[in-house]
Amino acid sequence: MPPALAQPLPLRDSLPPMPEPVPCPDEMSRCLLAVAHEGDRAAFGELFRHFAPRIAGFLVRGGMSPAEAEEVAQETMATVWHKADRFDPARAGASTWIFTIARNRRIDRARVQTRALCAAQLFDAVEQEPEASGEDLALGNERAARLRSAMASLSPEQETVLRLFYYSDKPQSEIARELDIPLGTVKSRVRLAMARLRAMLEDDQ
Amino acid sequence: MITSHPSDEALLQMAAGWLAAGPRLVLSTHVSLCARCRTRLRDYETIGGDLLEDADPRILSPDAFAKTLALIDRPIGSEPSLMHGIEPGLPAPLNHYAGSPWRRLNASLSWRRITLPEDPAANVIMLKVAAGRAVPRHAHTGREFTQVISGGFSDAQGHYLPGDCIEADAEIAHQPKADPDGECVVLASVEGRLRLSSWLGRLVQPLIGL
């Protein structure tokens, strides 16, 4: 648990405008580790600058109102700060880890009883393996790269439908209406996309 | 060895956060036991991460960062403690939940309802079927996920053992039968309504409340 922010971030609570070089994934991992180990506020600022706008953009794409999307993005980043010590780069990349936090936050906001179980606890209970090793880090990176290739190899139509599955829980019938294609076509594009991903990951069982 | 798994579509829905609480609990139970599905779930979460990277960045309000700092200084809603546990020896995800006592339906069938405070509309039950006995013939209007906890059962589609997860779409009428060598305990979630097409089924349905 990183040390609490005992005083406000330097002098102003807004981030100074910065040019947008694209941070490499390892840079974001480095920032997360710096937050975890040193309570590094500048690193947190970098994480916020990169991820908060994208979390909000992702959620808006799924139909959430911009105001709510921004709220969820803020809550997600606050959780990132508090849970940074649980980030394990051998298990997942920074964007994957933060995606799961945003996902869990969205689930939790929909709970009927707010005192009920957090999504994070359930997803955490799924993990069984001991701490990943350095070898796992290399394997994990390699697998992530293969996943990206696999996604890139999908046809635009397949990729579109797959993305829609992530953005919102619209039923396939509604997706079909929006794309103005038959329901059967939506189903087959999903099936083909998933088959292709499985084939490229070479673990079809 | 686990031979029956939830569909990739269901795992993707779980990774993306779009499974309802009932199916999410049953699938979490399966995934906690199944390395193959853990890997797939992680793969689908990785795709989510890539899509997040690719998302169009929104311009946030000028005080977004300040508000986030304020959130950090406020304690996040405390997580409920792991105090329930339905019974000892169940897969880890079930340790977070409470269930009703076992209720005997007849000589061959007992059931209990699992309470999901995060979604009272969820229908999650555990069923205990005596060796060699059948569950009433039933069909359902929604998707059903069944996770074998102990023992085994067969239906027209196959034979299932501990760890196996069976995903059944709507409209499949089936009559699962426990293996002859011991009782079978399963965890199941049902979306939509359960239609029971035997006289026993019609008796059972209001009792179970599914």
Side-chain angles (χ1 to χ4, degrees):
Chain A
M1 177 85 177
L5 282 172
Q7 63 228 23
L9 274 203
L11 296 179
R12 57 185 160 184
D13 294 330
S14 62
L15 293 175
M18 266 189 56
E20 270 264 5
V22 176
C24 70
D26 289 336
E27 172 63 16
M28 290 294 107
S29 291
R30 187 201 67 76
C31 288
L32 278 169
L33 295 170
V35 168
H37 298 147
E38 295 135 38
D40 187 332
R41 300 165 191 175
F44 182 67
E46 275 192 64
L47 287 164
F48 187 93
R49 213 185 332 265
H50 181 69
F51 283 110
R54 284 170 172 78
I55 295 165
F58 188 100
L59 295 169
V60 164
R61 186 65 184 73
M64 199 179 275
S65 76
E68 194 182 351
E70 186 172 307
E71 228 173 81
V72 178
Q74 290 164 11
E75 290 167 359
T76 300
M77 293 312 298
T79 305
V80 165
W81 172 270
H82 282 291
K83 289 196 172 175
D85 55 354
R86 303 226 216 134
F87 170 65
D88 180 358
R91 273 244 168 97
S95 53
T96 301
W97 188 70
I98 291 178
F99 167 79
T100 64
I101 293 179
R103 170 203 62 200
N104 293 346
R105 192 61 215 134
R106 186 175 39 71
I107 291 172
D108 288 346
R109 283 169 69 98
R111 284 175 302 179
V112 172
Q113 265 193 46
T114 53
R115 275 188 348 266
L117 194 73
C118 297
Q121 286 172 294
L122 195 61
F123 279 99
D124 284 349
V126 154
E127 292 296 331
Q128 295 287 299
E129 299 104 298
E131 293 300 311
S133 68
E135 200 182 283
D136 296 327
L137 178 61
L139 287 173
N141 286 340
E142 198 241 318
R143 191 176 185 88
R146 269 199 286 159
L147 261 173
R148 271 194 297 279
S149 297
M151 282 294 283
S153 77
L154 298 179
S155 75
E157 295 83 14
Q158 288 165 2
E159 203 210 323
T160 299
V161 169
L162 206 60
R163 279 171 179 261
L164 291 175
F165 267 64
Y166 278 87
Y167 294 144
S168 77
D169 62 346
K170 278 186 196 140
Q172 296 195 29
S173 52
E174 203 180 318
I175 292 177
R177 260 197 307 279
E178 279 183 15
L179 296 177
D180 199 24
I181 54 179
L183 174 60
T185 306
V186 172
K187 287 186 195 274
S188 73
R189 282 180 192 175
V190 172
R191 247 193 324 269
L192 289 170
M194 308 210 76
R196 183 161 210 132
L197 292 176
R198 277 204 304 279
M200 290 206 58
L201 290 166
E202 292 167 342
D203 70 349
D204 206 1
Q205 285 162 29
Chain B
M1 177 170 136
I2 298 178
T3 57
S4 185
H5 309 274
S7 65
D8 284 347
E9 284 86 341
L11 288 170
L12 189 153
Q13 282 180 293
M14 183 172 164
W18 296 120
L19 270 193
R24 188 165 68 234
L25 174 56
V26 178
L27 258 62
S28 295
T29 303
H30 173 82
V31 176
S32 76
L33 301 169
C34 178
R36 171 240 202 237
C37 289
R38 270 200 297 285
T39 301
R40 281 210 191 175
L41 183 69
R42 214 171 286 139
D43 286 343
Y44 296 138
E45 288 176 340
T46 302
I47 293 174
D50 288 344
L51 292 180
L52 178 61
E53 275 297 331
D54 279 348
D56 288 329
R58 282 195 72 79
I59 296 176
L60 303 177
S61 51
D63 60 351
F65 191 56
K67 283 186 176 163
T68 303
L69 300 181
L71 278 177
I72 283 168
D73 290 337
R74 248 198 301 139
I76 292 184
S78 54
E79 299 181 355
S81 56
L82 199 85
M83 57 178 183
H84 300 297
I86 297 160
E87 59 189 53
L90 291 177
L94 290 168
N95 290 335
H96 290 283
Y97 291 89
S100 70
W102 282 108
R103 287 166 200 174
R104 182 165 283 274
L105 201 63
N106 56 37
S108 47
L109 199 60
S110 299
W111 64 280
R112 72 196 312 175
R113 195 177 182 113
I114 309 302
T115 313
L116 272 68
E118 64 268 35
D119 182 8
N123 287 321
V124 181
I125 61 170
M126 287 180 73
L127 270 177
K128 195 187 298 187
V129 188
R133 311 302 292 178
V135 172
R137 183 178 181 76
H138 63 275
H140 31 79
T141 61
R143 211 168 31 165
E144 178 185 84
F145 291 96
T146 304
Q147 176 68 24
V148 183
I149 301 291
S150 61
F153 76 88
S154 296
D155 65 12
Q157 275 75 43
H159 178 227
Y160 309 104
L161 290 169
D164 280 332
C165 181
I166 302 91
E167 180 174 337
D169 278 335
E171 306 304 330
I172 297 177
H174 52 154
Q175 182 156 37
K177 193 163 158 183
D179 286 352
D181 57 352
E183 73 181 11
C184 179
V185 178
V186 302
L187 173 76
S189 92
V190 181
E191 292 172 329
R193 299 202 33 97
L194 198 71
R195 289 192 309 238
L196 295 165
S197 48
S198 70
W199 69 268
L200 178 61
R202 284 192 286 277
L203 181 70
V204 157
Q205 187 176 9
L207 291 176
I208 295 185
L210 287 172

